[in-house]
Amino acid sequence: MDSNLFSRRRAERFAQLLDEANGGRRHHVRSRADDQLTALVAVGRRLAVAPPAVEVDPEFRTGLRAMLLATAEREGIGAPAEPSSRRSADASRSRLLPAVTARRARARGAILVGVAAGAVALSGISAASENAVPGDALYGMKRSTERAQLALASSDVSRGQLFLDFARTRLAEAAALRGDEDGFSAVLDDMDADTRQGVRLLTTAAAQRSDPAALDAINSFLTGQRRAVGGLLDDAGRADRERTRRSLALLDAARKRSDALRAAIACGLPAPAGSDALGPAPANCPGER
């Protein structure tokens, strides 16, 4: 699909064609994109008459809804009425351009239809890319899906947990690339970066809230991840073993940071002022060395 399909002009023309297909008045204009847009309108009509029986994954539905709501808010679709003072000030201008205003509203709706259609179409590709590893054709789609998940996350805690999930995914990819020294090392680099991001977000949340709950997610991740990363040492070559040990050292540092922060919260220390790649660096509790 043309990446520029839902530019403003094309979106407005798409809205006109949708009007015509649904019995609205004909617009005596033509666009160079009409052939492509007419084909899409025809698909939409067929789907309306005989919608396919599909099951949508609940997580995908939730993410798509959040994305559409964000787009609707950004585009002003469904916004509440303005205060009466502003409404009266803009009344004359609104009366002058009723057709333009209505057309733009339909165009924005068409944009949302395009976003939804694109998301539904890509969801199948995303599912197919789940087991892709670096070098596979669908690996870029897999990483793009992860970035979309981060964009839809509602809080830093959610984003932190997602990064730790991605670190687990990178570990599975590394296991599939054993023997490929460059590929194996590159995936572990990405795994370590995801680990640092996740730990930093969660330790920061724990320090800001003086609540160790976010640290539980870190410790749960570290327990399983360290055991699995250690398994990469079995029958590994020298270079792979050295690279794997660096990842193990990072996991040990993350555990040390999580435990130190938990102790600082327990003894009532204020949120640390200093921070590094793993998040806040707490001081020792009174009496500790």
Side-chain angles (χ1 to χ4, degrees):
M1 183 178 291
D2 185 352
S3 62
N4 294 320
L5 177 60
F6 288 104
S7 64
R8 180 175 295 277
R9 289 184 180 178
R10 292 191 180 194
E12 290 182 358
R13 180 56 180 155
F14 186 43
Q16 292 174 350
L17 292 173
L18 287 175
D19 281 348
E20 294 174 8
N22 290 311
R25 72 177 182 86
R26 290 192 59 80
H27 299 78
H28 300 289
V29 295
R30 290 286 298 170
S31 164
R32 287 180 297 179
D34 273 12
D35 290 340
Q36 188 178 28
L37 294 174
T38 301
L40 287 175
V41 171
V43 171
R45 295 284 292 171
R46 288 198 298 271
L47 290 175
V49 173
V54 296
E55 268 189 47
V56 180
D57 181 78
E59 291 186 6
F60 173 75
R61 184 187 294 110
T62 300
L64 177 59
R65 180 178 182 276
M67 180 172 61
L68 292 178
L69 288 174
T71 303
E73 181 180 359
R74 185 173 62 252
E75 295 292 336
I77 301 170
E82 295 180 345
S84 57
S85 58
R86 179 177 297 180
R87 198 165 55 238
S88 59
D90 294 341
S92 57
R93 184 179 62 183
S94 298
R95 284 195 296 271
L96 289 174
L97 299 172
V100 173
T101 301
R103 187 168 67 250
R104 286 180 178 173
R106 289 194 300 273
R108 287 171 175 169
I111 292 170
L112 283 181
V113 170
V115 170
V120 170
L122 291 176
S123 63
I125 301 175
S126 174
S129 71
E130 286 181 357
N131 297 320
V133 298
D136 290 350
L138 291 179
Y139 190 69
M141 174 59 66
K142 181 178 182 178
R143 298 304 293 266
S144 294
T145 300
E146 292 177 353
R147 289 192 291 272
Q149 288 178 273
L150 288 170
L152 292 171
S154 59
S155 68
D156 283 347
V157 170
S158 297
R159 279 185 283 275
Q161 292 173 328
L162 278 173
F163 273 117
L164 296 187
D165 286 342
F166 300 156
R168 293 186 183 97
T169 300
R170 302 289 86 79
L171 174 58
E173 295 167 1
L177 291 173
R178 294 176 68 176
D180 176 356
E181 184 176 325
D182 292 338
F184 181 82
S185 180
V187 170
L188 289 191
D189 287 346
D190 288 346
M191 181 186 75
D192 290 351
D194 288 337
T195 297
R196 291 187 189 94
Q197 288 271 37
V199 170
R200 181 179 58 80
L201 286 168
L202 292 170
T203 54
T204 299
Q208 290 175 344
R209 302 174 184 181
S210 294
D211 183 353
L215 303 178
D216 294 339
I218 295 176
N219 289 357
S220 176
F221 161 78
L222 292 173
T223 298
Q225 189 80 347
R226 198 189 191 291
R227 181 170 56 249
V229 172
L232 295 177
L233 295 172
D234 298 338
D235 301 321
R238 179 177 177 181
D240 285 358
R241 289 176 67 86
E242 290 177 353
R243 180 61 192 83
T244 300
R245 288 194 181 101
R246 296 210 304 272
S247 292
L248 288 172
L250 172 62
L251 296 175
D252 290 341
R255 169 71 75 171
K256 184 176 180 181
R257 176 62 53 85
S258 176
D259 290 345
L261 190 54
R262 187 183 298 273
I265 292 172
C267 68
L269 289 179
S275 184
D276 58 21
L278 294 177
N284 291 329
C285 290
E288 290 185 359
R289 297 182 60 186

